[in-house]
């Protein structure tokens, strides 16, 4: 579909087109498109930009990566379609491998997503080679399949657009979970150690930039001071304040 460049929401439409293309190519699932719609609704509420309290979460994510021994970046169909270049860059800068990890897992989708990542510049993608696949003990298959060189041994896992169940399973195994989720109310957002309430198309490269400018001492300080509950509360306050202003404007306009 050709998007008119002067369309007021051209950016959003372009992002949707990438997902639709991923769907037509057979690696984005229909459930993924529903998730995107839910994400867009929350993006409206935060104002479609990275809001100040979220910058703190982004710094904490960079700090967690800086101090991790085995950080891993989990990739699903939506994130491959939306921001594979940014994920590859984050992986290169931090040394954290990319792992295809799917809720609706099929071999075909796994291979297609690995291909998208390789086309975006990745030289290694975990979660594909059957010889290295193992199951997490506390989840039912096929959601539980992970790579023994990746998520299985990871101490820090970045999970963009994850579901609440798996976030909890990773936490139960003692891993630090960094979630990217536009819905500050989702189970994922509430149970992750660090929750970045932002669109993946905006925030992944911001994590990379923070990582580049942070040293280990600074990272330790950032994590010591970080409180995810406080950040989530400030995100909700931001939405409330924004709605108050919009409500005043709407009342004035009538
Ligand atoms: P949970 O199980 O955690 O309560 P859920 O059932 O809503 O939540 P899923 O549908 O599995 O979770 O995950 C999709 C989540 O990803 C949604 O919360 C949605 O807001 C978020 N999301 C969708 N698109 C984006 C995007 N582009 N950037 C960031 N987050 C997104
Ligand atoms: Mg869910």
């Amino acid at each position: 579909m050709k998007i008119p460049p002067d369309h007021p929401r051209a950016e959003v439409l372009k992002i949707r087109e990438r997902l639709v293309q991923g769907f037509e190519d057979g690696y984005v699932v229909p459930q993924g498109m529903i998730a995107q719609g839910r994400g867009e609704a929350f993006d409206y509420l935060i104002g479609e930009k990275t809001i100040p309290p979220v910058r703190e979460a982004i710094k904490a994510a960079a700090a967690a990566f800086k101090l991790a021994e085995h950080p891993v970046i989990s990739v699903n169909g939506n994130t491959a379609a939306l921001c594979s270049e940014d994920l590859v860059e984050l992986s290169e800068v931090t040394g954290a491998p990319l792992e295809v990890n799917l809720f609706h897992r099929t071999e075909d989708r796994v291979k297609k997503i690995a291909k998208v990542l390789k086309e975006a510049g990745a030289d290694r993608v975990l979660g594909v080679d059957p010889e290295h696949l193992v199951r997490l003990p506390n989840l039912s298959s096929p959601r539980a399949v992970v790579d023994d060189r990746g998520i299985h041994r990871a101490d820090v896992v970045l999970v963009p657009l994850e579901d609440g169940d798996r976030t909890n399973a990773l936490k139960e195994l003692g891993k630090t979970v960094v979630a990217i989720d536009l819905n500050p109310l989702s189970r994922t957002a509430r149970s992750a150690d660090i929750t970045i309430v932002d669109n993946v198309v905006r925030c992944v490269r911001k994590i990379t930039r923070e990582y580049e400018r942070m040293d280990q001492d600074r990272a330790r300080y950032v994590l010591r001071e970080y409180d995810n509950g406080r950040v989530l509360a400030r995100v909700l306050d931001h939405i409330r304040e924004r709605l108050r202003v919009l409500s005043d404007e709407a009342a004035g306009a009538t």
Side-chain angles (χ1 to χ4, degrees):
M1 194 187 97
K2 185 107 186 67
I3 294 156
D6 59 344
H7 190 287
R9 298 192 56 74
E11 274 313 307
V12 171
L13 296 183
K14 270 192 248 162
I15 291 166
R16 279 187 200 164
E17 274 312 297
R18 278 191 251 157
L19 270 185
V20 171
Q21 189 60 53
F23 177 71
E24 284 171 357
D25 293 344
Y27 67 87
V28 169
V29 287
Q31 292 86 340
M33 298 209 275
I34 296 171
Q36 171 70 13
R38 188 158 57 253
E40 282 181 15
F42 282 100
D43 214 1
Y44 250 98
L45 293 178
I46 65 172
E48 294 176 319
K49 55 176 196 259
T50 306
I51 62 175
V54 172
R55 294 197 174 271
E56 215 183 301
I58 289 172
K59 279 198 184 104
F65 265 60
K66 191 68 79 174
L67 299 176
E69 278 178 37
H70 299 293
V72 174
I73 302 163
S74 176
V75 183
N76 67 8
N78 281 42
T79 46
L82 293 176
C83 59
S84 43
E85 284 85 4
D86 291 349
L87 292 169
V88 169
E89 187 198 28
L90 179 66
S91 168
E92 275 170 3
V93 169
T94 62
L98 298 163
E99 175 167 339
V100 181
N101 189 246
L102 305 178
F103 192 96
H104 306 277
R105 185 186 173 94
T106 66
E107 288 320 301
D108 181 53
R109 288 189 67 220
V110 170
K111 288 203 179 102
K112 283 176 171 162
I113 292 168
K115 185 160 170 271
V116 169
L117 290 170
K118 291 206 165 137
E119 281 165 6
D123 40 39
R124 190 166 81 122
V125 178
L126 304 183
V128 186
D129 181 354
E131 272 184 28
H132 285 283
L133 297 181
V134 291
R135 284 178 197 286
L136 296 177
N138 51 351
L139 265 183
S140 59
S141 60
R143 298 190 295 150
V145 175
V146 290
D147 197 303
D148 61 8
R149 300 159 298 174
I151 291 175
H152 188 251
R153 73 198 275 249
D155 50 353
V156 174
V157 192
L158 175 69
V159 290
L161 281 57
E162 186 53 274
D163 120 289
D165 249 26
R166 283 210 304 196
T167 306
N168 282 322
L170 293 173
K171 280 203 54 159
E172 272 169 33
L173 295 171
K175 300 173 193 305
T176 297
V177 177
V178 182
I180 300 175
D181 190 336
L182 276 162
N183 177 2
L185 305 173
S186 77
R187 287 178 307 145
T188 302
R190 286 184 294 148
S191 56
D193 297 285
I194 299 169
T195 308
I196 300 173
V197 183
D198 201 4
N199 201 314
V200 284
V201 303
R202 288 192 299 265
C203 67
V204 174
R205 67 188 79 136
K206 292 186 169 124
I207 304 172
T208 311
R209 297 290 88 78
E210 287 295 342
Y211 182 95
E212 284 171 333
R213 56 173 101 97
M214 195 177 283
D215 63 19
Q216 300 241 336
D217 277 348
R218 173 83 190 147
R220 272 187 284 274
Y221 174 79
V222 166
L223 280 189
R224 209 165 42 235
E225 296 295 306
Y226 188 74
D227 178 342
N228 204 47
R230 186 185 65 208
V231 167
L232 284 175
R234 285 177 55 211
V235 168
L236 291 170
D237 285 343
H238 173 97
I239 293 173
R240 179 171 55 188
E241 179 56 18
R242 197 173 126 74
L243 289 177
R244 196 189 59 72
V245 171
L246 291 172
S247 146
D248 286 353
E249 276 173 24
T254 53

